[in-house]
Amino acid sequence: MSCSLARDVEWATVSTSTTASGSGSGPIADATPSSLCAREPRVPADRLVAEMVPPPRFDSVRFSTYIPDPNQPSQTEAVRVLDSFAAGLGGTHPTAAGKRGFLGFGRKPVKAPAGPRGVYLDGGYGVGKTHLLASLWHATPAEPSLKAFGTFVELTNLVGALGFQQTVRTLSGHRLLCIDEFELDDPGDTVLVSSLLGRLVESGVALAATSNTLPGKLGEGRFASVDFLREIQGLSAHFRSLRIDGEDYRHRGLPEAPAPYSDEQVTQAAYATPGASLDDFPHLLDHLARVHPSRYGALTDGIEAVCLTDVQPVPDQSTALRLVVLADRLYDREVPVLASGQPFDRLFSEEMLGGGYRKKYFRAISRLTALARDGKGLVRA
């Protein structure tokens, strides 16, 4: 299965699948699943802004739907602190009256209050940090247009699409900016985000972020963070850290992840499932290198299930990090995954799982395992 690319339109799908007999015609061909490899989405800047809301998985979450582990008092404390933080964001934002258009021209900056202007949720994967961050977004008493929610990758891509100054103008009239999966993977991101958040805080924007790494430790193990200590310390100064302890709720009391299926089972399920995609895993990894990670959400638009054959350990760190982003977008959209080949807990090498990105890789394993459980129902008995 090859990865055809469509370059002349914003969104295109090129059929690369064939029937079981290879003829490409007949009743089976009418139900041919799509291929992620045949998609190369183009995402306009206004969509990037409009989609800065909690993903579908977290549409209905609230503080009341978060179930703290009774053995982890930090979880109950986090709910209390965040609920109070949201209540404190009521009233009219001083810059809101000057808002004009999605780029926000005409806004006047205001002096930020003293002390940290944000909260930072630090904890292991699967303790419900994104649930709490989305609940904060929903609880903040402001119109959706005055609140922004996105991953760290989506935020940095917004800067790439709009430019730094326009991004500041776009977000400076907001009451709240929520940043999920806050990570610094390179020095450029460190300087960029430090400058951006500093400008937004000066404009009166409140911040909230989640990460598996304390703000003072961002970038550790990935680049020479000591050389960028001032920027990292500046980022840390914007936040009050809340540590959330606990085990991964996705595996709490649940059965073990299903074993991989055969190629035949996966293929049959793809043909029998409306809206499913079917891809050879190594070819999909190659295709992800051609699509910017910020577009992986658009890559899965309209996909009801992802079927993968020949899952193998990822060959290198760059490929692994792209797969992490895809896993996050599939999880956000609750897209079940069915796979053959190696189980998902063998995707990353021991060296990767012991390196600076280990928390990202464990999160990806956790999320793909949860989606694999959801995919069990696609296989006919």
Side-chain angles (χ1 to χ4, degrees):
M1 185 179 296
S2 62
C3 294
S4 302
L5 302 181
R7 300 185 181 279
D8 297 328
V9 295
E10 181 181 30
W11 172 250
T13 300
V14 180
S15 177
T16 59
S17 299
T18 61
T19 66
S21 64
S23 64
S25 62
I28 297 180
D30 293 338
T32 298
S34 62
S35 167
L36 297 179
C37 285
R39 296 178 163 205
E40 186 176 313
R42 305 288 186 182
V43 184
D46 56 349
R47 172 173 170 171
L48 295 176
V49 176
E51 290 188 343
M52 293 194 74
V53 296
R57 178 177 286 269
F58 300 98
D59 277 345
S60 60
V61 300
R62 298 294 187 272
F63 290 131
S64 61
T65 64
Y66 181 79
I67 310 300
D69 184 338
N71 297 316
Q72 303 293 346
S74 62
Q75 296 184 8
T76 301
E77 175 66 5
V79 173
R80 185 192 67 79
V81 171
L82 291 173
D83 194 24
S84 176
F85 184 76
L89 297 178
T92 301
H93 190 291
T95 65
K99 184 176 181 180
R100 292 189 302 204
F102 90 93
L103 294 179
F105 291 101
R107 296 173 182 169
K108 297 180 180 180
V110 296
K111 185 176 181 180
R117 183 61 177 161
V119 290
Y120 190 99
L121 309 183
D122 171 65
Y125 50 92
V127 297
K129 299 187 300 297
T130 303
H131 183 136
L132 290 172
L133 188 69
S135 298
L136 173 63
W137 189 92
H138 289 298
T140 297
E143 293 296 320
S145 61
L146 296 179
K147 302 181 287 186
F149 185 109
T151 65
F152 184 82
V153 170
E154 290 167 336
L155 179 63
T156 55
N157 185 66
L158 184 66
V159 178
L162 301 182
F164 181 83
Q165 295 298 337
Q166 288 188 355
T167 301
V168 171
R169 287 191 288 266
T170 298
L171 299 178
S172 61
H174 282 55
R175 194 80 50 80
L176 174 69
L177 170 61
C178 295
I179 310 170
D180 200 18
E181 302 155 17
F182 198 109
E183 300 285 357
L184 296 181
D185 295 337
D186 61 61
D189 282 347
T190 303
V191 176
L192 173 68
V193 174
S194 176
S195 300
L196 176 63
L197 297 189
R199 291 283 295 275
L200 294 179
V201 168
E202 289 175 359
S203 297
V205 180
L207 307 174
T210 71
S211 181
N212 299 317
T213 306
L214 287 168
K217 300 292 186 180
L218 288 166
E220 192 173 79
R222 300 164 198 175
F223 61 91
S225 57
V226 65
D227 295 334
F228 295 86
L229 188 59
R230 183 176 66 180
E231 284 80 7
I232 293 173
Q233 289 177 337
L235 285 169
S236 180
H238 295 316
F239 297 100
R240 169 188 174 181
S241 293
L242 292 177
R243 175 69 187 179
I244 304 177
D245 300 303
E247 64 175 318
D248 186 346
Y249 79 90
R250 288 181 285 269
H251 305 307
R252 194 184 304 159
L254 294 174
E256 291 295 319
Y261 295 94
S262 68
D263 287 352
E264 182 180 6
Q265 287 175 305
V266 172
T267 301
Q268 288 178 347
Y271 277 89
T273 304
S277 66
L278 176 62
D279 290 278
D280 173 76
F281 186 71
H283 288 163
L284 177 60
L285 295 184
D286 289 341
H287 183 58
L288 292 180
R290 302 183 182 99
V291 180
H292 191 279
S294 65
R295 301 174 185 172
Y296 288 2
L299 185 70
T300 64
D301 281 353
I303 297 296
E304 298 297 328
V306 168
C307 298
L308 302 171
T309 58
D310 195 23
V311 170
Q312 304 174 11
V314 294
D316 56 71
Q317 194 107 265
S318 296
T319 302
L321 291 172
R322 288 191 289 267
L323 181 59
V324 167
V325 178
L326 179 64
D328 287 339
R329 300 293 79 78
L330 293 174
Y331 182 77
D332 289 344
R333 289 158 176 77
E334 301 181 298
V335 180
V337 176
L338 195 68
S340 67
Q342 296 291 313
F344 288 132
D345 59 5
R346 298 183 188 175
L347 284 172
F348 309 108
S349 67
E350 290 298 324
E351 181 179 2
M352 291 178 182
L353 294 177
Y357 300 102
R358 60 188 177 277
K359 292 181 179 179
K360 285 191 173 187
Y361 298 147
F362 280 117
R363 183 181 77 231
I365 292 171
S366 171
R367 290 185 165 186
L368 288 171
T369 296
L371 295 177
R373 292 195 187 102
D374 295 341
K376 289 180 64 176
L378 303 177
V379 178
R380 296 178 179 177

